[in-house]
C-alpha cells in the first residue's frame, strides 16, 4: 500500500479540513521527468570501456589496476536496471542510446612501423558477445561504438581452404576458421613474405554486422587503428601497412546486413580512425583517395594523451578519420 500524505486544507469561507492522498513516487512522475532524473546517473561524457585486453603481458601492478573495481565506472547508477521492470527498460534505453561503448583502448603507439607487437588485438569477438548479451531491444538503441582493430595477422590459405598462421617464436602453426571468402587483393606486408600470405579476415566480422541488422537507430562504428599503421601506407621507398582485404569485407558485410528496408542507405556507418607521422600520411593520402578511401577529417596533434608513448613527436603527427567508399563489386 502506498504511503499516504495528510495536508491541511484551507479555503476562503470554508472550515479547516484535512486532505489525504497518496505520496508522489518516481513512477507517478511523467516519463520525460523520470528520464531527466536518469540522465546524470547513466550517461558518461567519456566512452565506456566494455572490454579491454592489454596487447602485452602485464606485471602484477598492471593486473591489479586493470581488474580493480576503481577501473570500472562506479559513478554510473547501473543498479537502476534491477529496481523494477519499467525502470529497467527506461534506464537501459537511455544508457544504451546516449553512451559510447569502447572495446580496447590498449593500442601501443610507436614511431617505427617495424616495431609492431605480434599480438592481434582485434575485438570483433568481444563486440559480438556484447551485442548478443544486451538483447535486440538494447541493440536497436545503440548509436556509438568504438573498437580497436590491429593490422591484420598474415595467414596462408592451403589448396583445401585451410587457413593457418605461424605462431610467434615457434615452428608451429595455428589453424584459423575456414575461409569462405574469395581473396581480392595481394598481400601488402613489410618483408619477404610468400605470395600465398594474405591478411586474415575474422569470421566474427560477419557475425557483428548480422546481429546489428537494419532495425534501430543509426549507429556509428569507429574502428581505431594502431598509431602509424593504416591500409596501404605509402612512403617514398616502400609500400607497407594493410591491403584493403579487411576494409572491403567490413564494407560488404555492412551493406549486406544493415541496409535499411527503404533502401535509403545502411543503419551502420563505419569510420576508420588513426594517427601517424604527418609527412607519411600526406604522402599516402593521394593514393588512399585513388584506392577508394574518403578522408573525412585530418587534425594536427598538439599534445600526447597521457596513455600514449612519449617517444612520438606530436608536433609532426596527425589524427585522421577515413571512410571506405562503396565499391560496385561488393
Amino acid at each position: 500500500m502506498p504511503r499516504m500524505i495528510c495536508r491541511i486544507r484551507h479555503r476562503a469561507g470554508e472550515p479547516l479540513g484535512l486532505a489525504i492522498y497518496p505520496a508522489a513516487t518516481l513512477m507517478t512522475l511523467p516519463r520525460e521527468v523520470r528520464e531527466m532524473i536518469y540522465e546524470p546517473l547513466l550517461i558518461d561524457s567519456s566512452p565506456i570501456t566494455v572490454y579491454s585486453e592489454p596487447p602485452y603481458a602485464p606485471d602484477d601492478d598492471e593486473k591489479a589496476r586493470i581488474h580493480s573495481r576503481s577501473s570500472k565506472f562506479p559513478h554510473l547508477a547501473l543498479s537502476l536496471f534491477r529496481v523494477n521492470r519499467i525502470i529497467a527498460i527506461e534506464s537501459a534505453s537511455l544508457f544504451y542510446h546516449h553512451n559510447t561503448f569502447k572495446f580496447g583502448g590498449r593500442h601501443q603507439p610507436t614511431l617505427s612501423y617495424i616495431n609492431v607487437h605480434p599480438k592481434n588485438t582485434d575485438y570483433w569477438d568481444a563486440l559480438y558477445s556484447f551485442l548478443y548479451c544486451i538483447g535486440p531491444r538494447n541493440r536497436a538503441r545503440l548509436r556509438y561504438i568504438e573498437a580497436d582493430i590491429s593490422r591484420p595477422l598474415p595467414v596462408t590459405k592451403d589448396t583445401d581452404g585451410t587457413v593457418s598462421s605461424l605462431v610467434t617464436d615457434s615452428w608451429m602453426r595455428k589453424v584459423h576458421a575456414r575461409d569462405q571468402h574469395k581473396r581480392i587483393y595481394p598481400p601488402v606486408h613489410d618483408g619477404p613474405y610468400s605470395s600465398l600470405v594474405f591478411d586474415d579476415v575474422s569470421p566474427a566480422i560477419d557475425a557483428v554486422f548480422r546481429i546489428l541488422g537494419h532495425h534501430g537507430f543509426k549507429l556509428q562504428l569507429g574502428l581505431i587503428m594502431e598509431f602509424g599503421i593504416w591500409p596501404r601506407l605509402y612512403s617514398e621507398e616502400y609500400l607497407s601497412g594493410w591491403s584493403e582485404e579487411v576494409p572491403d569485407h567490413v564494407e560488404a558485410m555492412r551493406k549486406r546486413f544493415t541496409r535499411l528496408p527503404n533502401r535509403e542507405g545502411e543503419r551502420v556507418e563505419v569510420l576508420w580512425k588513426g594517427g601517424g607521422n604527418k609527412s607519411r600520411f600526406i604522402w599516402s593520402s593521394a593514393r588512399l583517395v585513388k584506392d577508394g578511401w574518403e578522408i573525412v577529417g585530418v587534425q594536427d596533434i598538439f599534445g600526447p594523451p597521457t596513455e600514449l608513448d612519449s617517444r612520438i613527436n606530436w608536433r609532426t603527427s596527425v589524427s585522421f578519420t577515413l571512410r571506405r567508399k562503396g565499391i560496385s563489386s561488393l
Side-chain angles (χ1 to χ4, degrees), residues 251-312:
E251 183 68 11
M253 296 302 101
R254 183 184 75 90
K255 288 185 174 183
R256 178 178 178 182
F257 295 114
T258 71
R259 181 162 293 168
L260 298 174
N262 57 12
R263 298 293 177 180
E264 296 182 358
E266 293 78 30
R267 178 200 172 197
V268 179
E269 176 191 27
V270 176
L271 297 178
W272 299 75
K273 302 180 180 182
N277 180 270
K278 187 174 183 177
S279 60
R280 294 181 74 194
F281 180 75
I282 292 175
W283 183 268
S284 62
S285 59
R287 188 56 185 261
L288 281 170
V289 173
K290 181 180 178 181
D291 289 343
W293 290 90
E294 175 187 352
I295 301 177
V296 179
V298 181
Q299 184 177 359
D300 289 333
I301 299 178
F302 297 103
T306 56
E307 72 273 12
L308 297 182
D309 198 318
S310 60
R311 293 175 298 164
I312 297 174

Side-chain angles (χ1 to χ4, degrees), residues 121-166:
T121 55
D122 288 347
Y123 290 89
W124 293 108
D125 295 284
L127 176 53
Y128 174 80
S129 299
F130 168 74
L131 296 171
Y132 179 86
C133 290
I134 65 177
R137 179 189 289 114
N138 295 325
R139 284 199 298 270
R141 301 288 298 181
L142 290 169
R143 291 196 302 165
Y144 303 104
I145 297 177
E146 292 181 353
D148 283 352
I149 179 168
S150 299
R151 176 176 176 172
L153 186 71
V155 298
T156 58
K157 185 175 181 178
D158 297 339
T159 55
D160 63 355
T162 300
V163 179
S164 63
S165 63
L166 189 65

Side-chain angles (χ1 to χ4, degrees), residues 209-222:
F209 287 99
R210 184 184 294 110
I211 199 171
L212 283 173
H214 58 263
H215 296 291
F217 287 86
K218 287 276 191 175
L219 169 65
Q220 184 183 99
L221 174 60

Side-chain angles (χ1 to χ4, degrees), residues 46-53 71-73 100-106:
S46 302
I48 295 175
T49 300
V50 179
Y51 179 79
S52 179
E53 180 182 356
S71 65
K72 308 301 180 183
F73 30 88
T100 298
F101 297 92
K102 172 77 176 178
F103 294 80
R106 303 291 295 174

Side-chain angles (χ1 to χ4, degrees), residues 26-27 31 34-43 48 76-99 101 137-138 141:
L26 180 63
M27 299 309 300
R31 177 165 180 170
R34 292 200 298 271
E35 289 184 348
M36 292 175 63
I37 297 174
Y38 300 149
E39 283 184 9
L41 302 175
L42 294 172
I43 299 178
I48 295 175
L76 298 180
L78 302 186
S79 56
L80 284 171
F81 296 165
R82 301 191 295 270
V83 175
N84 61 43
R85 185 174 183 273
I86 295 177
I87 293 180
I89 293 174
E90 293 176 350
S91 57
S93 175
L94 203 71
F95 176 74
Y96 289 107
H97 188 62
H98 291 283
N99 284 309
F101 297 92
R137 179 189 289 114
N138 295 325
R141 301 288 298 181

